[in-house]
Amino acid sequence: MQEEKRQTVLIVEDDWELADGIAWMLEKEGFMPLAAHSVREAEERYQEKGADLVLLDVNLPDGEGFDFCQYLREKEPELGKVPVLFLTARDLEEDALRGYELGAQDYVTKPFSMKILLKKIGVILKREQEDSGQIYDDGFLYIDFLRARTTVNGQPCQVTPTEFRLLREFVSHRGQLLTYDVLLDRLWEGGSQLMDRHALTVNVGRLRGKIEDAEHKYISNVYGMGYQWIG
């Protein structure tokens, strides 16, 4: 049995001791913690690994947590919003309001209870998954349709917008035969530049090359008719 994918929490905190304490707690509870201690480092970590949730301090050596939150919103506005929970010593009302205006799920002032923090993290992540209803995870292939993230065997998998639309169509109609014409119509409506069956075949082939291996097959070609998701 394959290990269930752990949810990644990016901790952006310049207090190294506090960051280590939070990371230890999250690791113990089955999360995958990543630590960053500045805005720049947070951007690098996010670009490398992504995140299911961000714990974000406001006061950072090279800027403010608000800057990183804005970066997240501008980087992937069409892909949904990674949930952000501010952890800060700044307890001014205007700071909290700014955090919420940037889309933060919560704004917690220091000092705080680790048990309460863990509970808040669990509630936010559960709500995010329930709201999206768009997670595919079989232990090998992971697709977050809300944030357009795909991993294969735990490693980030870069798919094109057209390939991602194909994934959405296949997974939402798993087990069903999707004819060539149906797929072309749906991809065209979704903004794809696919124009003919040959282009469709090429894109499906490239997608299979990215997400399949000898032991994991997801897309079956029904000769002369179309494709079927068998994962």
Side-chain angles (χ1 to χ4, degrees), residues 5-10 31-34 49-54:
K5 181 181 181 297
R6 295 195 290 170
Q7 291 175 297
T8 301
V9 179
L10 175 58
F31 293 97
M32 176 71 74
L34 297 174
K49 300 291 186 179
D52 295 298
L53 182 142
V54 176

Side-chain angles (χ1 to χ4, degrees), residues 87-135:
L87 297 175
T88 177
R90 288 168 55 166
D91 59 358
L92 295 177
E93 182 179 88
E94 52 263 37
D95 288 330
L97 290 174
R98 185 178 179 190
Y100 286 122
E101 287 169 357
L102 286 170
Q105 270 64 35
D106 210 337
Y107 190 98
V108 177
T109 56
K110 302 174 182 177
F112 53 82
S113 162
M114 286 289 193
K115 290 183 178 180
I116 295 297
L117 174 61
L118 186 63
K119 186 66 174 180
K120 285 179 177 289
I121 290 171
V123 168
I124 291 172
L125 289 173
K126 181 179 180 181
R127 183 171 64 233
E128 286 291 310
Q129 288 200 0
E130 289 176 347
D131 288 347
S132 69
Q134 299 187 73
I135 301 293

Side-chain angles (χ1 to χ4, degrees), residues 18-37:
L18 177 58
D20 288 345
I22 295 174
W24 179 85
M25 176 192 69
L26 291 173
E27 180 79 25
K28 183 179 178 182
E29 294 297 325
F31 293 97
M32 176 71 74
L34 297 174
H37 308 289

